[in-house]
Amino acid sequence: MARIPLYQQVCDYMIQRIQTGEWEEGSKLPSIRTLASQLGVHRLTALKAFQVLKDSQYVYVKDKSGYYVQKHAANQKKQQNILNEPKIYSYIKNSHLSDIHNKPVNYMFSTSLIDPKLLPNRYLSEHVKEVFDQYPQLLGTYAPVKGDKELLKGFSVYFQKYYDFYIHEESILITTGAQQGIDIIAKVFVQSRDYVLIDSPTYSAAVDIFLNRGAQLLPIDLSIKGFSLEQVEWYMKKYKPKLFYMNPTFHNPTGYTVPTEQRKQLVELAERYQCILVEDDSFHEIYFAKDPPAPIFTYDPCGYVIYLRSFSKYIAPGLRICALLAHPILIKWLVKGKALADNGTPLLNQKAFLYYLTSERVQRHMEKLRIAIQLRKEVMEKELSLNQFQWDSPAGGLNLWVKLHEDINVEKFKIKALEQQISIVPGNICDPLARNIPYIRLSYSFLNEKEIKEGIKILNEVHKLLKV
């Protein structure tokens, strides 16, 4: 995974503080030694950043005094030579999961989506016609940035009815999928060089989003038992991170679920060290035996948890509907970020989803869907068991986190699989530090049982071939 050179990250950090007015025109800047200590970089790295900003007329030097902010520096744009790259490349660095999905193959085990044949497409399409009858001017207007008022009310009723917690409409923001929610949160709360805790392994797109903001990622190990709270507290105490992004229920990619007691303790740590927890809960209703624990959000009395509940995976992926729940103070700033992103999720999508959300068919659909997905998971596990793969069978979600034989190179495995028309997610793009870990993610929800058997049979052969 490509990384922004360290001195360039320091440049971004300094420019942001100049442009936001935190470092005012004419004010003296921290010394090279002080800045290097604050950011945890070598003094030569800090010196190079100062030199680049001096050449770009952001700062100037006074002999025997130090560096100062240049007049009008806050209003000037970044110079091309700061990053020595095209402007678009200086902002968007990577989207590794998208790169994988864009490769056409016959067996797509990389897609953590549900087979469209399992979704209530006909019912939803019939309802869309009713939506146009009820709202004839639907396509002639924008939705409110915060979300359609009827849908906001519908979510409030939904969470109270099915999850027994009350959430006021003013604490809800509708985003165009969970990924947009993560992106807005990152843009609102994270600046270059800010520390962000993140579960490890984790959702690949979240890694890319935070890295594109210039964040310094601090991986928190996740196991079948959950997090090490000692590790979490140590990082919070030492680094004062802005956020802790996590996917604690049927985790993507591992399938693990953080136990209830840890959820309560995480909220206590967040409050003690003033770190916002970002709870991505995109698989909550995909369980196979029993309901998962209540969301971490429900244990938060003080507003330190931002909760993302996406419905894209298992109701209507094309509608891209996610409910972002947070304290009204945080919502106020997130709405500003949403306005800059797209000025509101399409109204047609929200009205179409509203009817489905408030109907009893939602629960009947989910009961059947859980059975169908569990059957596909069991088929994949049975086929994988014929080889030397290792994994922990998840109690929900859409993925298996599979360990390869120690002698196999994951990158070679990915390439050989692609040659056989099979896409997988290599473990390194799920690792916040892009380490070459001997894992792959296989999704069992997108292909039918016959396709799963065929694809895994081929993967077994690739595994045997590379193991020799």
Side-chain angles (χ1 to χ4, degrees):
M1 183 183 294
R3 293 288 190 265
I4 306 173
L6 202 52
Y7 80 91
Q8 293 177 355
Q9 295 183 41
V10 176
C11 286
D12 283 345
Y13 170 86
M14 297 173 71
I15 289 171
Q16 285 186 343
R17 272 134 186 87
I18 291 171
Q19 292 181 335
T20 58
E22 184 177 338
W23 292 345
E24 298 177 352
E25 293 181 3
S27 65
K28 185 176 181 179
L29 295 172
S31 68
I32 292 171
R33 183 187 297 273
T34 300
L35 186 66
S37 177
Q38 288 175 348
L39 299 182
V41 300
H42 195 278
R43 277 179 288 171
L44 291 177
T45 301
L47 174 61
K48 185 171 183 179
F50 272 108
Q51 290 172 337
V52 170
L53 294 186
K54 177 177 175 293
D55 293 341
S56 303
Q57 298 182 344
Y58 275 94
V59 305
Y60 65 95
V61 182
K62 287 185 180 180
D63 288 342
K64 299 181 181 180
S65 178
Y67 288 88
Y68 291 77
V69 178
Q70 187 72 261
K71 288 185 178 181
H72 310 302
N75 297 323
Q76 71 182 62
K77 295 181 180 180
K78 289 185 181 181
Q79 299 298 316
Q80 184 65 27
N81 62 352
I82 291 178
L83 294 181
N84 197 29
E85 298 172 322
K87 288 184 179 179
I88 190 169
Y89 187 63
S90 72
Y91 176 67
I92 299 297
K93 292 295 175 183
N94 290 298
S95 181
H96 291 87
L97 206 54
S98 177
D99 291 342
I100 292 173
H101 294 337
N102 286 336
K103 292 180 172 63
V105 294
N106 295 332
Y107 303 98
M108 189 169 281
F109 292 130
S110 61
T111 302
S112 191
L113 287 175
I114 290 173
D115 182 352
K117 295 176 183 177
L118 297 178
L119 300 176
N121 302 303
R122 181 177 298 178
Y123 170 73
L124 197 58
S125 64
E126 291 174 354
H127 171 61
V128 169
K129 299 173 185 176
E130 298 176 10
V131 169
F132 276 113
D133 291 338
Q134 189 174 355
Y135 306 97
Q137 298 179 340
L138 191 63
L139 296 181
T141 184
Y142 288 127
V145 174
K146 193 171 179 294
D148 175 62
K149 290 183 178 180
E150 286 186 298
L151 183 55
L152 293 173
K153 184 177 180 180
F155 273 126
S156 180
V157 172
Y158 176 85
F159 285 116
Q160 188 167 13
K161 180 177 180 180
Y162 293 109
Y163 298 97
D164 200 29
F165 72 87
Y166 175 73
I167 183 74
H168 195 276
E169 295 159 38
E170 69 177 4
S171 296
I172 307 174
L173 168 66
I174 308 300
T175 65
T176 310
Q179 188 166 321
Q180 186 193 58
I182 299 167
D183 189 55
I184 291 171
I185 291 166
K187 289 176 179 175
V188 170
F189 295 111
V190 179
Q191 293 184 336
S192 180
R193 303 295 297 165
D194 281 342
Y195 288 105
V196 171
L197 301 184
I198 190 165
D199 46 16
S200 179
T202 193
Y203 175 42
S204 171
V207 172
D208 292 337
I209 286 170
F210 289 119
L211 287 178
N212 282 324
R213 292 296 299 164
Q216 300 185 87
L217 299 183
L218 300 172
I220 300 296
D221 297 330
L222 178 66
S223 72
I224 198 167
K225 296 180 180 179
F227 296 115
S228 166
L229 295 182
E230 291 79 9
Q231 183 190 28
V232 173
E233 182 168 16
W234 188 83
Y235 273 127
M236 285 186 176
K237 186 175 182 179
K238 180 176 181 180
Y239 293 102
K240 306 294 188 293
K242 288 284 188 72
L243 305 173
F244 181 3
Y245 170 83
M246 64 184 73
N247 181 205
T249 305
F250 308 132
H251 175 263
N252 180 8
T254 67
Y256 299 149
T257 294
V258 174
T260 298
E261 190 56 37
Q262 281 196 15
R263 294 172 182 240
K264 297 175 183 178
Q265 293 172 323
L266 284 166
V267 171
E268 293 172 2
L269 289 174
E271 183 179 353
R272 186 182 310 161
Y273 295 103
Q274 297 186 325
C275 174
I276 296 173
L277 305 182
V278 180
E279 181 181 11
D280 184 354
D281 199 7
S282 296
F283 302 99
H284 193 95
E285 296 199 46
I286 308 295
Y287 56 87
F288 305 136
K290 60 180 181 179
D291 292 10
I296 296 173
F297 181 81
T298 61
Y299 300 111
D300 174 31
C302 299
Y304 281 94
V305 180
I306 299 176
Y307 181 66
L308 293 164
R309 169 65 78 83
S310 172
F311 294 80
S312 296
K313 298 289 186 185
Y314 45 84
I315 292 182
L319 294 183
R320 305 291 292 149
I321 297 295
C322 173
L324 185 156
L325 279 52
H327 191 282
I329 292 176
L330 299 182
I331 287 288
K332 178 182 71 173
W333 294 103
L334 291 165
V335 168
K336 295 177 186 291
K338 171 66 175 174
L340 292 172
D342 63 6
N343 210 33
T345 297
L347 189 56
L348 172 60
N349 297 26
Q350 296 187 64
K351 291 296 188 185
F353 182 78
L354 170 65
Y355 186 81
Y356 197 80
L357 179 72
T358 55
S359 74
E360 293 299 325
R361 291 195 60 152
V362 172
Q363 297 309 311
R364 294 199 298 271
H365 161 69
M366 288 309 307
E367 290 171 3
K368 296 177 181 178
L369 184 62
R370 282 190 284 266
I371 294 171
I373 294 175
Q374 183 176 5
L375 290 174
R376 296 184 183 204
K377 177 184 82 87
E378 291 172 352
V379 167
M380 178 176 281
E381 290 181 321
K382 182 178 179 181
E383 295 300 317
L384 287 172
S385 67
L386 301 176
N387 209 328
Q388 290 182 307
F389 293 110
Q390 299 176 40
W391 69 94
D392 293 309
S393 185
L398 306 179
N399 308 297
L400 294 184
W401 185 235
V402 179
K403 186 175 182 180
L404 303 183
H405 190 275
E406 58 186 9
D407 294 334
I408 292 180
N409 179 284
V410 177
E411 186 63 23
K412 288 183 179 179
F413 187 87
K414 183 191 78 171
I415 293 171
K416 287 294 183 183
L418 280 174
E419 291 175 357
Q420 300 297 320
Q421 292 293 303
I422 299 174
S423 66
I424 55 124
V425 175
N428 69 307
I429 75 167
C430 299
D431 185 270
L433 301 181
R435 294 168 291 194
N436 290 318
I437 54 179
Y439 285 87
I440 61 172
R441 192 194 77 180
L442 300 176
S443 300
Y444 44 77
S445 55
F446 191 69
L447 303 179
N448 61 39
E449 288 93 332
K450 179 176 180 292
E451 292 167 330
I452 290 172
K453 288 181 180 179
E454 293 172 351
I456 298 300
K457 182 178 180 181
I458 297 171
L459 274 188
N460 281 333
E461 292 301 318
V462 172
H463 191 267
K464 291 177 182 177
L465 177 66
L466 293 178
K467 183 173 164 289
V468 174

